[in-house]
Amino acid sequence: MDINTVFTFVAVATLLVISPGPNGFLIAKTVPLSGHRAGLANVAGFVGAFYLHGTLSVFGISILLVQSATAFFIFKMLGALYLMWLGIKAIRNAFMKGTAIATEVASPQHKPTALKNAFAEGFLTNMLNPKVSVFYLAAFPQFMSADASALSAYILVTAHAIVNVVWFTAMVFTLTKVKRATNNPRFKVWLNAITGVVFIGFGARLALAKNS
C-alpha cells in the first residue's frame, strides 16, 4: 500500500471524524463533569471500537450484518437505544441537580465517571454505531486491491484511529482549559440537559435511518 493511498484515506477519515456526532458530544459532556482523564478514556474507547469494527470487516462478519436486514435492524436499534439511554441518564442527572438548586438544598458534588466506565461509554458509543462498519466496508475496496492482506486493512484502521486520537485529544484539552468556567452548578445542569436531548436525538435518527 503506497503512502498516497494512506494520505487519501486519512483525508476521507478526517472528514468523518470531525463531523458532528455522538463521539464529540460524549467528550463535551464527560470533560466538564469528570475531567480530562475520563475524556481520554472515552477516546481510548473509540479507538478500541475502531479496531473491533475493522476486524469484523476484515473477516467478513460486517458484510453479513449489512446484507441481513434483520441483523442490521437489531444492531441499529441496539445502538439507538444505547444513545437514548445516555440521553435519558444525562437529563435525569440534570433534573436531580436542578431540583436541588431550585430548592436551595446543598447539591451533592458530582461524582466523576470512573475511567473504566468512561472507556466503556466511548467503546459502546462507537461499537453500536453500524455506520462505522458500513464506512469500512465501503472504504476498504476503494483503497485496497482485491489481493491485499489483512495488514493493509489494519494500516487503514490505524490511520483512522490516529486521526480520531489527534482530533478528540485536542478537544479534551481545549475543554479542560475552560473547565473552571464550567464548574458552575447551573452550567452543569444545562450541559446535562442539552447533551441529553442531543443524545436522544442521535438515537432517534439512528433508529429511523433506512437500512440502506
Side-chain angles (χ1 to χ4, degrees):
M1 179 177 292
D2 62 90
I3 193 66
N4 289 331
T5 299
V6 175
F7 281 148
T8 303
F9 177 82
V10 166
V12 174
T14 299
L15 294 176
L16 179 69
V17 169
I18 67 176
S19 62
N23 289 354
F25 280 96
L26 181 62
I27 294 291
K29 177 183 78 71
T30 299
V31 175
L33 299 178
S34 301
H36 73 280
R37 292 169 65 87
L40 293 176
N42 281 163
V43 177
F46 299 158
V47 172
F50 283 145
Y51 278 100
L52 184 52
H53 274 294
T55 299
L56 294 177
S57 297
V58 167
F59 290 100
I61 299 175
S62 290
I63 296 177
L64 298 177
L65 175 67
V66 173
Q67 290 182 342
S68 170
T70 301
F72 188 90
F73 176 78
I74 292 173
F75 190 67
K76 181 182 71 172
M77 292 306 296
L78 285 174
L81 289 172
Y82 178 71
L83 291 175
M84 289 181 177
W85 177 77
L86 285 179
I88 291 171
K89 185 171 70 168
I91 291 174
R92 182 194 63 188
N93 289 340
F95 177 78
M96 293 174 62
K97 194 173 287 288
T99 301
I101 293 174
T103 56
E104 297 183 355
V105 176
S107 178
Q109 185 69 24
H110 176 82
K111 185 178 181 181
T113 303
L115 294 184
K116 64 179 181 179
N117 292 338
F119 175 89
E121 285 186 347
F123 181 84
L124 290 173
T125 298
N126 235 11
M127 188 58 226
L128 293 176
N129 186 355
K131 293 182 179 180
V132 180
S133 279
V134 172
F135 168 71
Y136 283 150
L137 290 174
F140 284 173
Q142 305 298 322
F143 295 95
M144 297 191 308
S145 60
D147 59 349
S149 65
L151 177 61
S152 297
Y154 283 114
I155 289 174
L156 296 183
V157 173
T158 299
H160 189 192
I162 290 172
V163 172
N164 179 88
V165 169
V166 171
W167 175 259
F168 287 114
T169 298
M171 185 176 178
V172 165
F173 285 106
T174 299
L175 290 171
T176 300
K177 288 183 178 180
V178 299
K179 190 173 185 294
R180 284 187 179 180
T182 63
N183 275 336
N184 184 284
R186 293 188 183 277
F187 174 83
K188 291 183 177 181
V189 169
W190 281 103
L191 178 64
N192 268 316
I194 292 171
T195 55
V197 170
V198 169
F199 273 118
I200 291 174
F202 277 126
R205 188 176 68 176
L206 179 58
L208 297 174
K210 294 182 180 179
N211 287 5
S212 58

